[in-house]
Amino acid sequence: MSQQQQPPTHPLHGFAQREPDELIQRARAYADELSRRRTVRDYSDRPVPRAVIEQAVRAAGSAPSGANQQPWHFVAIGDPAIKQAIRAAAEEEERAFYAHRAPEDWLDALAPLGTTADKPFLETAPWLIAVFYERHRIGSDGQREKTYYAIDSVGIATGMLIATLHHAGLATLTHTPSPMGFLTEILGRPKHERPFVLLVAGYPADDAQVPAITRRPLPDILTVLSDHSD
Ligand code: IYR
C-alpha cells in the first residue's frame, strides 16, 4: 500500500496573474523570439563566459521530469584538448555514417542541410554541452532504482537549455553523432548515464550561413477544439 498521508506542500510563490491581453502579447513576443532561433554550424571562436552556460543549465535543471527524478547530467566542455578528442571521435563515427551506415533515404533527407562528416565546430565553438540521461539510478545502498520517462524528461530539459542559450544571445547546434558512446568514455561518465545530445554553443561566425528552410505554418501543426472562438 502507498502511504495515505499527504506529502508536504507550500504556497505557489511568485506566480504573476496577468490579464488576457498581456498573455497574448507576451506569448507573441516570446514566439517571435524563439522563431528567430536557427541551428548554426559555423561558429566564431570568440569566448563566452562560463556563467552563461551555468545559468542556461540552471534553467534546464528546472524542467519538469517523470516523478521529479531529474534524470539528467550536463557536462560543459571548454577545454580545447577535450574538444579536440570529441571532434576526432565524432568525425570517425560520422565518416562511417556518411560512407555506409546511413541508408540512402536518410542521406536524401539530410541533403537540404548540407551536412558532412567534417565537424570543425566541435573545436571552434567555445562550449560543448554533453547532455546525459539516467536510464536508472544507483541508490545509496548500491541498488539499481528505476527512472521514469527519462528520455522524455531530458528532451524537455534540453529544449529549455536551447531556449535559454538563444535568449541569452548565443547560437546552438544539436549534434547527435551516432553512436555517441565515446562521450561516456572521454568524459568519464558512469555507465548508467547515456548520452542524449551534444549541444554546441557560441557566437556564430561573422559569415555564418544557414540552410534555407521554412517552418510549417500554424494551421498545419495546430488543431484547436474549443467551445468558443476568441
Ligand atoms: N549525425 C550526422 C547526421 C545528421 C543526422 C540528422 I537526423 C540531422 O538532423 C543532422 C545530421 C551529422 O551530424 O552530420
Side-chain angles (χ1 to χ4, degrees), residues 99-127:
H100 53 81
R101 253 192 229 140
E104 209 53 40
D105 53 352
W106 193 346
L107 293 178
D108 289 347
L110 289 177
L113 302 181
T115 54
T116 70
D118 296 330
K119 306 298 178 192
F121 50 75
L122 293 175
E123 283 190 87
T124 318
W127 291 102

Side-chain angles (χ1 to χ4, degrees), residues 41 94 97-98 106 110 113 115-117 119 175-178:
R41 293 185 171 79
E94 298 293 5
F97 175 86
Y98 284 96
W106 193 346
L110 289 177
L113 302 181
T115 54
T116 70
K119 306 298 178 192
H175 183 44
T176 51
S178 171

